[in-house]
Amino acid sequence: MKKRNMIGLVTISLGLAIILAACGGKTSNTQDSTLTVGTNANIGSANSVKYSDTGSVEAIQNTFEGLYRFNAKGQPVKALAKTVSTNKDKTVYTYTLQHSKWSNGQSVTAADFVYAWQQLGNPKTASPNAQRLDFLKNGYDVRNGKKPVSQLGVKALGKYRLQVTLESPITYLPEILTGAPFMPLNKAYVEKMGSKYATDSKHLISNGPFLLKKWTGTNDTWEYVKNNDYWDKKAVKTKKIDVQVVKSVATGANLFETKKLDYTMLSNEYVSRYQNKAGFHVKKSPSIGYLGFNTKRKVTGNRHVRLALAMSFNKKALTKQVMKDGSTPLNGIVPANFTFNPKTGEDFRKYSGDLVPYDLKKAKAEWALAKKQLGIKSASIQILAADTPEAKQVVEYLQAEYEKNLPGLHVTIHQVPLKQRLRMTTAYNFDFVYGTWAPDFADPINFIGDGGAYHLDSDYKNKTYWNDLKEARGKYATDSTERYQVLKNAEQQVVQRDAFMAPVFQGANAYLQNPKVKGLAVSPYGTTLFYRNVKINS
């Protein structure tokens, strides 16, 4: 992912940060209570510089702590950053850190942030999230091997003083630094563990509100246990969270009804059953469902094939008749009602327009042109997806639409566990892939320059696109009018002209929650649950 921050897969998710009242407090003593959560995503990795899925994001965000975190209202607030100052140009930030400890008793220092971010950008790490360093001075050149990691814009000025230097001024730095890739790492421990680091809970230390326990690296159940060495442990009111993967929505709903789960997600067929009952919620989300293409394969390497695949399925029918969870059609890679021009207030999605809407006539024309260029009358391709019920619904719908609307095209489905799907995409072992992706901060560039697209940095060679992104990050960083114009150009290039990635829908999430839990918050950019402030009432 590449990633990617990919998304995990599946019904996508809760838009604005919310406080879920979920619960199952079985006791009036909140310190002794346990929250029970059903999830549809395994943990792929607890390594903050190597993860590539939403399940991993949740594990990292609850067991590590960086400079900032989200509060219950979805706003970034200082975490390990005790104080912050900046220069006149807003390009150099100096942080004084809280005095905190790793779970092995060692101090968390400024050098831990320097080491982690340098590892993230080091080409040898091959991090699927390295592009997220581009806001830092020399970030782009470091991750592309043009400059050494020592020149990355992060420096320890002392044991508890950290200096961060930006390539250009940005308004969303706190949002960026809440992200999982920007957590600190204990160099001595990471290097001692080597390849075993963060592959299970026995080879992991962390500094956040909870410790990850009973995770073997492949199992479907694990625990988050209160970290008594956490610097702000008084704010943590729940001692344990039991999490289990629930791949069957029916199972999750039954466990919720029998009070064995405090939170579980729903899929479309359960919306009508629960929509008028207590505990049912639906929330819009800036998350997206998308298609990624292997451009090294003969068929999906053809631009006209990709354009045909992007426009030949009825998105409205998919979201209204198949998903039925509040998701909506999406015709660009940036979702609607997500980011707005700071000068005009215009929604970027409206500004950039409908780039690849359902258009059967155009899709058929693109498919005919593709077959002519490839010298074929028919083709067989495979769509890769995770093995969740929601992914199954989507890819089966796409399969039917493609075979009905594109004469001579045969599509097979290959569903595998998330970890395997991530490995297969990284290794180019796919034709095209369906996934979901949630943003890291509220700016169009997060989708346009990433958006879950695999191998974007290495395989997409359009110079105009990359120049537009460079100007958005640099030349026009403080000029919102020009910046939005070059971002619009970049989105149109990568989605509408070249179809390197294709939008499917903008997500929403239906879920059940017990009203006795207070303070269970959700990332404003995805489905990640934050357990730090949970309180369970009797």
Side-chain angles (χ1 to χ4, degrees):
M1 331 257 138
K2 201 164 159 156
K3 8 207 211 258
R4 242 160 192 200
N5 231 271
M6 303 200 259
I7 308 193
L9 347 142
V10 7
T11 10
I12 337 195
S13 83
L14 318 150
L16 300 172
I18 56 176
I19 299 178
L20 299 174
C23 179
K26 316 295 189 271
T27 169
S28 60
N29 185 346
T30 60
Q31 291 292 336
D32 295 328
S33 57
T34 297
L35 180 72
T36 56
V37 174
T39 181
N40 55 16
N42 294 82
I43 300 173
S45 172
N47 189 335
S48 60
V49 302
K50 288 193 173 183
Y51 78 91
S52 57
D53 60 281
T54 53
S56 298
V57 171
E58 185 164 301
I60 294 166
Q61 292 279 28
N62 283 288
T63 57
F64 286 79
E65 184 158 89
L67 297 173
Y68 295 88
R69 62 175 176 82
F70 284 118
N71 65 14
K73 295 181 180 180
Q75 301 166 331
V77 295
K78 291 193 291 292
L80 283 191
K82 186 176 182 179
T83 64
V84 57
S85 61
T86 184
N87 66 347
K88 182 180 179 180
D89 295 332
K90 305 292 184 183
T91 56
V92 180
Y93 289 75
T94 303
Y95 295 92
T96 301
L97 304 182
Q98 299 281 359
H99 289 201
S100 61
K101 294 181 179 180
W102 290 103
S103 52
N104 66 354
Q106 296 181 0
S107 296
V108 178
T109 68
D112 294 332
F113 283 93
V114 175
Y115 172 71
W117 297 8
Q118 287 181 349
Q119 287 296 104
L120 179 66
N122 192 330
K124 293 181 180 179
T125 304
S127 172
N129 298 297
Q131 78 291 336
R132 290 173 64 176
L133 285 172
D134 286 358
F135 72 96
L136 288 178
K137 186 172 181 61
N138 298 324
Y140 179 85
D141 287 340
V142 167
R143 71 179 177 89
N144 283 286
K146 297 179 180 179
K147 290 183 179 180
V149 295
S150 60
Q151 292 190 28
L152 187 66
V154 58
K155 180 188 299 184
L157 301 180
K159 187 173 183 179
Y160 298 111
R161 292 186 71 224
L162 181 72
Q163 184 183 83
V164 176
T165 304
L166 310 185
E167 190 69 36
S168 303
I170 55 176
T171 60
Y172 46 86
L173 181 61
E175 286 90 343
I176 290 179
L177 296 181
T178 62
F182 300 102
M183 302 301 171
L185 289 174
N186 184 292
K187 180 180 179 180
Y189 183 83
V190 172
E191 293 185 348
K192 180 180 179 180
M193 294 299 103
S195 62
K196 292 183 178 180
Y197 172 71
T199 57
D200 56 43
S201 53
K202 293 181 179 180
H203 297 90
L204 181 70
I205 61 171
S206 57
N207 71 317
F210 294 95
L211 303 177
L212 180 60
K213 298 291 186 180
K214 297 184 179 180
W215 175 59
T216 67
T218 58
N219 57 329
D220 290 339
T221 60
W222 56 88
E223 297 175 353
Y224 297 111
V225 178
K226 182 177 178 179
N227 180 7
N228 289 319
D229 289 323
Y230 177 53
W231 73 274
D232 195 20
K233 64 182 179 181
K234 290 183 179 179
V236 183
K237 303 301 183 183
T238 299
K239 279 198 170 183
K240 191 173 72 163
I241 296 94
D242 286 334
V243 183
Q244 67 181 88
V245 176
V246 180
K247 292 186 178 179
S248 165
V249 177
T251 300
N254 181 64
L255 290 172
F256 181 86
E257 288 187 350
T258 55
K259 303 186 185 303
K260 294 178 181 178
L261 282 182
D262 298 319
Y263 172 89
T264 190
M265 299 176 74
L266 294 176
S267 58
N268 56 12
E269 65 267 34
Y270 288 85
V271 170
S272 59
R273 180 185 302 182
Y274 287 99
Q275 61 185 357
N276 295 318
K277 294 184 179 181
F280 173 80
H281 299 268
V282 172
K283 294 293 179 181
K284 289 287 294 180
S285 168
S287 301
I288 65 169
Y290 71 96
L291 299 175
F293 303 98
N294 184 350
T295 57
K296 294 184 180 296
R297 295 280 173 93
K298 177 182 178 181
V299 177
T300 50
N302 184 279
R303 181 175 68 92
H304 299 290
V305 169
R306 300 194 299 271
L307 284 167
L309 293 173
M311 296 187 292
S312 59
F313 62 95
N314 190 322
K315 298 177 183 179
K316 185 176 181 179
L318 170 63
T319 55
K320 296 295 184 182
Q321 299 173 23
V322 178
M323 301 180 72
K324 296 185 288 188
D325 61 356
S327 298
T328 53
L330 183 63
N331 297 318
I333 207 67
V334 180
N337 300 310
F338 167 64
T339 180
F340 304 85
N341 187 317
K343 183 176 292 186
T344 67
E346 186 175 16
D347 181 0
F348 183 85
R349 179 70 277 125
K350 183 177 180 181
Y351 171 70
S352 190
D354 289 329
L355 305 185
V356 281
Y358 171 57
D359 189 327
L360 193 53
K361 183 177 179 180
K362 286 185 178 180
K364 287 180 178 292
E366 292 290 345
W367 177 236
L369 183 57
K371 289 191 290 185
K372 183 177 180 180
Q373 284 189 352
L374 294 170
I376 60 174
K377 293 183 178 180
S378 63
S380 295
I381 57 175
Q382 185 179 83
I383 185 168
L384 176 66
D387 61 348
T388 64
E390 294 81 2
K392 184 174 188 293
Q393 288 179 328
V394 173
V395 295
E396 287 182 351
Y397 175 82
L398 292 175
Q399 178 191 46
E401 286 285 278
Y402 289 146
E403 294 192 343
K404 177 181 69 175
N405 295 331
L406 302 177
L409 181 63
H410 178 59
V411 178
T412 58
I413 295 171
H414 188 39
Q415 287 193 268
V416 296
L418 174 61
K419 267 192 170 182
Q420 185 178 348
R421 195 209 79 182
L422 296 173
R423 288 196 299 267
M424 291 177 69
T425 46
T426 300
Y428 291 93
N429 189 15
F430 71 105
D431 291 319
F432 69 133
V433 59
Y434 162 75
T436 62
W437 199 79
D440 311 299
F441 54 92
D443 190 83
I445 204 168
N446 196 211
F447 281 93
I448 299 169
D450 192 342
Y454 287 94
H455 307 293
L456 180 67
D457 292 338
S458 59
D459 294 353
Y460 188 52
K461 304 298 185 182
N462 189 285
K463 292 182 179 179
T464 300
Y465 164 86
W466 290 112
N467 186 65
D468 285 336
L469 291 189
K470 182 179 180 180
E471 291 189 334
R473 293 184 174 110
K475 182 179 180 180
Y476 300 127
T478 59
D479 185 337
S480 60
T481 300
E482 292 296 332
R483 186 170 185 272
Y484 264 48
Q485 180 61 56
V486 294
L487 287 174
K488 176 181 179 179
N489 294 342
E491 186 189 34
Q492 290 177 345
Q493 187 68 56
V494 73
V495 173
Q496 187 177 49
R497 301 187 188 100
D498 293 333
F500 189 85
M501 47 187 167
V504 179
F505 61 83
Q506 180 171 344
N509 190 47
Y511 60 95
L512 294 172
Q513 53 154 38
N514 188 311
K516 291 184 179 180
V517 166
K518 306 298 180 182
L520 180 59
V522 180
S523 165
Y525 307 140
T527 55
T528 300
L529 298 176
F530 297 129
Y531 303 115
R532 183 182 186 274
N533 297 319
V534 167
K535 295 180 182 180
I536 304 178
N537 296 333
S538 58

